[in-house]
Amino acid sequence: MPRDNLNELTAFLAVAREKSFTRAAAKLGVSQSALSHALRSLEERLGVRLLTRTTRSVSPTEAGERLARTVGPRLDEIESELAALSALREKPAGTIRITAGEHSADTVLWPAIARLLPQYPDIRVEIVVDYGLTDIVAGRYDAGVRLGEQVARDMITVRIGPDMRMAVVGSPAYFARRPKPRTPQDLTDHNCINLRLPTHGGLYAWEFEKAGRELKVRVDGQLIFNTAGLRMNAVLAGVGLAYLPEDQVTAHLADGRLLRLMADWCPPFPGYHLYYPSRRQATPAFTLLLDALRYRG
């Protein structure tokens, strides 16, 4: 394939995926005029319009969507193979992009990365914190982190953390004003601190299980956040009850700043797993990080 054709296809895919000439040009490190010229040249050569442009948006036409769907994965595979080949030098190198939730990034990813990177200065790691169930292929991530039960079946998965438990907690100041709930159903009468999940566009339902009986309780309250840190601040301030990973509240339970409720309704469940596409060739840098993350408990 002539080099110009490959460059034009790369330019088209960047614009189609970003839906913006500005963002695509920044991602490719070229000017917007050069990008526009490459797209016009590709459209003229193919004889079809690939993009619909307005003053506010850019979107693929039907032909453009077909081209992106068929050619995109093949170019991604070529890039992955080239990255793997270029990594076959004495020192592992390259950038690894991972999407993960805030809790897994803090408790699992960061400790492993902090140990690994000083030994390999040519490896770079980008972690994007996201509570959504991100499509790592479309987002061009090398890997993602989810709880074991949430990983798609067509992915390779590697366990990177122990089993987890959740905890319903509140402060002594809160319980000085309100009675303690005894069952998950009692939570509907309390001021609960909610978590919004971007993937579903709604509020996370608190999950419970006891003696084989599973419950999902949709709680209500004055506060809604999309990060664990703010929920922790709010529950410590006595605003309401929170549903948080057990390891995040252990120290506060020990010093009496928080009280735990209904622990018998919160059994362990599979912890965090790293997942990545089965067809992607792992680079030496990614293999090193994978080994550093692998749970051996």
Side-chain angles (χ1 to χ4, degrees), residues 67-170:
L67 182 63
R69 187 171 56 250
T70 56
V71 175
R74 291 171 172 80
L75 287 184
D76 288 342
E77 289 179 16
I78 291 172
E79 287 187 8
S80 178
E81 290 296 333
L82 290 175
L85 288 174
S86 64
L88 293 177
R89 57 182 186 175
E90 185 176 351
K91 295 182 179 179
T95 299
I96 303 168
R97 299 184 71 237
I98 303 174
T99 176
E102 182 182 15
H103 181 254
S104 61
D106 285 339
T107 61
V108 179
L109 291 181
W110 171 242
I113 290 168
R115 294 191 301 269
L116 179 70
L117 293 191
Q119 305 172 57
Y120 300 97
D122 293 327
I123 295 178
R124 296 188 298 174
V125 178
E126 177 183 356
I127 298 176
V128 177
V129 173
D130 183 3
Y131 278 100
L133 298 180
T134 303
D135 184 335
I136 60 171
V137 175
R140 308 193 76 182
Y141 291 100
D142 294 290
V145 177
R146 291 184 191 170
L147 295 172
E149 58 198 20
Q150 296 176 333
V151 178
R153 294 181 179 178
D154 60 343
M155 295 285 173
I156 295 177
T157 63
V158 176
R159 183 165 181 154
I160 60 174
D163 282 354
M164 294 174 56
R165 291 183 72 192
M166 299 299 290
V168 179
V169 293

Side-chain angles (χ1 to χ4, degrees), residues 180-247:
K180 294 179 181 179
R182 297 181 179 276
T183 68
Q185 293 91 334
D186 293 342
L187 292 169
T188 57
D189 296 325
H190 282 263
N191 195 3
C192 296
I193 302 161
N194 262 306
L195 169 68
R196 185 173 296 281
L197 296 177
T199 301
H200 303 290
L203 302 180
Y204 173 67
W206 295 11
E207 300 178 77
F208 299 96
E209 182 180 345
K210 184 177 181 180
R213 182 187 177 193
E214 296 182 4
L215 289 177
K216 288 188 177 182
V217 181
R218 297 200 174 276
V219 299
D220 194 15
Q222 294 176 284
L223 290 172
I224 301 172
F225 298 117
N226 67 346
T227 68
L230 289 173
R231 285 184 289 146
M232 178 67 77
N233 291 341
V235 72
L236 288 171
V239 177
L241 304 183
Y243 185 73
L244 294 164
E246 183 182 58
D247 64 294

Side-chain angles (χ1 to χ4, degrees), residues 24-100:
K27 188 172 185 177
L28 295 176
V30 300
S31 67
Q32 291 187 50
S33 60
L35 200 58
S36 296
H37 176 76
L39 264 295
R40 283 196 301 271
S41 176
L42 180 60
E43 288 179 329
E44 289 172 1
R45 182 161 54 80
L46 295 177
V48 293
R49 182 177 292 278
L50 299 173
L51 297 170
T52 299
R53 306 169 179 84
T54 68
T55 55
R56 294 186 177 181
S57 65
V58 179
S59 60
T61 63
E62 182 179 354
E65 289 180 353
R66 177 176 175 179
L67 182 63
R69 187 171 56 250
T70 56
V71 175
R74 291 171 172 80
L75 287 184
D76 288 342
E77 289 179 16
I78 291 172
E79 287 187 8
S80 178
E81 290 296 333
L82 290 175
L85 288 174
S86 64
L88 293 177
R89 57 182 186 175
E90 185 176 351
K91 295 182 179 179
T95 299
I96 303 168
R97 299 184 71 237
I98 303 174
T99 176

